[in-house]
Amino acid sequence: MSYEIIPGDPASPVILHVPHASRELIDSGLLLGPAEIAEELDHLTDAHTDVIASRAADEAARRPWTLVNRLSRLVVDPERFPGDEEEMLASGMGPVYTHGHAGRRLRDDDPVRDAALLKSHFLPYAEAMTTLVSRRMTATGRAVIIDVHSYATEPLPYELHGDGPRPPVCLGADEVHTPDWLRDAAAAVFPETGVNSPFAGCYVPLDYWGRDRAVSALMIEIRRDQYMREPGGDPGPGLDRLARSLAALVDAIP
């Protein structure tokens, strides 16, 4: 299974989503040697965000549900759009990356291989998240997705919008799915936040995206110097502080 769902309180509408924390790889057509792969993983993995989410879930008064991707985004990135509307295709980083963090070629172009990876990993992951949201909606009348990410302190070459502010915590918001109260609650528990820079928007399953305001969502992008040694190093004392802030955000959701 390329993902894990960790159950929460039956009465909780909250889903912590952790898509980019894993370094686990499978055979997926990567051309690089071990040292080059390690370099890509160091720069592109949202290291330790699974630990932040797990500790926050443990500390929250009402445990949220959690979905964690157990494969690296170098296999398939579950948060990309599957069609031509995905803007990261311009960097060679659609659902199946052909290029890495600095434009290095990762894979040959192969639509057949890409279709097989989407079928075996991207689509089952999307279905699992859609089902989890649906079940929270059935149980509580709504779903609140908190997307947990991190980003490099200095802009990486692949970033399409890397010239804007890089606050300690970037809040990714969507016009339809991010209500003011949710964004304000996050700003109250995380110090020094900004909105939609350097990364914008948040993840909502396509069955609900732009259609159902009962699905709320917010992306939490943590600048890596706040909690770890870059790139790809060990966590520091800031991790516990950020986990407590995330737990406080979960507790602020009614």
Side-chain angles (χ1 to χ4, degrees):
M1 191 74 72
S2 61
Y3 58 86
E4 181 180 5
I5 296 174
I6 303 166
D9 190 298
S12 175
V14 181
I15 300 167
L16 298 181
H17 181 220
V18 188
H20 294 158
S22 178
R23 296 174 68 99
E24 185 71 23
L25 296 172
I26 61 172
D27 184 10
S28 59
L30 291 171
L31 302 171
L32 308 181
E36 294 170 313
I37 288 177
E39 183 182 10
E40 294 292 343
L41 289 171
D42 283 349
H43 285 88
L44 289 173
T45 302
D46 291 352
H48 317 301
T49 52
D50 53 343
V51 178
I52 292 172
S54 176
R55 292 187 184 179
D58 287 344
E59 187 166 323
R62 184 171 62 182
R63 174 176 285 274
W65 296 69
T66 307
L67 190 151
V68 183
N69 186 10
R70 294 305 186 191
L71 286 179
S72 168
R73 66 195 294 187
L74 291 185
V75 179
V76 166
D77 191 332
E79 290 210 315
R80 300 297 195 232
F81 288 108
D84 293 339
E85 69 273 29
E86 175 53 62
E87 71 167 355
M88 291 305 297
L89 288 170
S91 296
M93 299 177 76
V96 181
Y97 296 177
T98 57
H99 293 74
H101 76 281
R104 172 166 48 195
R105 171 66 74 164
L106 299 183
R107 293 180 174 89
D108 292 326
D109 296 327
D110 185 344
V112 174
R113 177 208 59 221
D114 291 356
L117 287 171
L118 292 178
K119 181 177 180 180
S120 59
H121 299 291
F122 184 93
L123 294 177
Y125 189 102
E127 182 178 355
M129 187 61 169
T130 301
T131 300
L132 182 55
V133 169
S134 174
R135 289 176 177 171
R136 294 298 85 222
M137 296 272 284
T138 299
T140 71
R142 61 201 177 105
V144 183
I145 302 168
I146 306 297
D147 213 15
V148 186
H149 291 259
S150 70
Y151 73 97
T153 302
E154 297 297 327
L156 296 177
Y158 82 90
E159 295 181 24
L160 297 180
H161 310 287
D163 55 349
R166 303 178 80 81
V169 175
C170 163
L171 306 179
D174 177 85
E175 290 184 359
V176 173
H177 294 285
T178 308
D180 290 345
W181 67 262
L182 180 56
R183 187 181 60 216
D184 292 345
V189 299
F190 289 103
E192 298 183 74
T193 61
V195 178
N196 285 343
S197 177
F199 296 96
C202 47
Y203 178 77
V204 175
L206 289 177
D207 283 3
Y208 296 97
W209 184 64
R211 302 173 183 174
D212 195 336
R213 291 179 181 271
V215 179
S216 302
L218 181 72
M219 179 169 65
I220 305 295
E221 284 271 6
I222 304 166
R223 203 176 66 203
R224 291 174 188 158
D225 66 348
Q226 299 296 295
Y227 75 96
M228 63 173 285
R229 178 175 53 81
E230 298 178 84
D234 294 332
L239 186 145
D240 287 333
R241 172 179 55 81
L242 289 160
R244 288 193 296 270
S245 294
L246 183 58
L249 174 58
V250 171
D251 287 342
I253 296 170

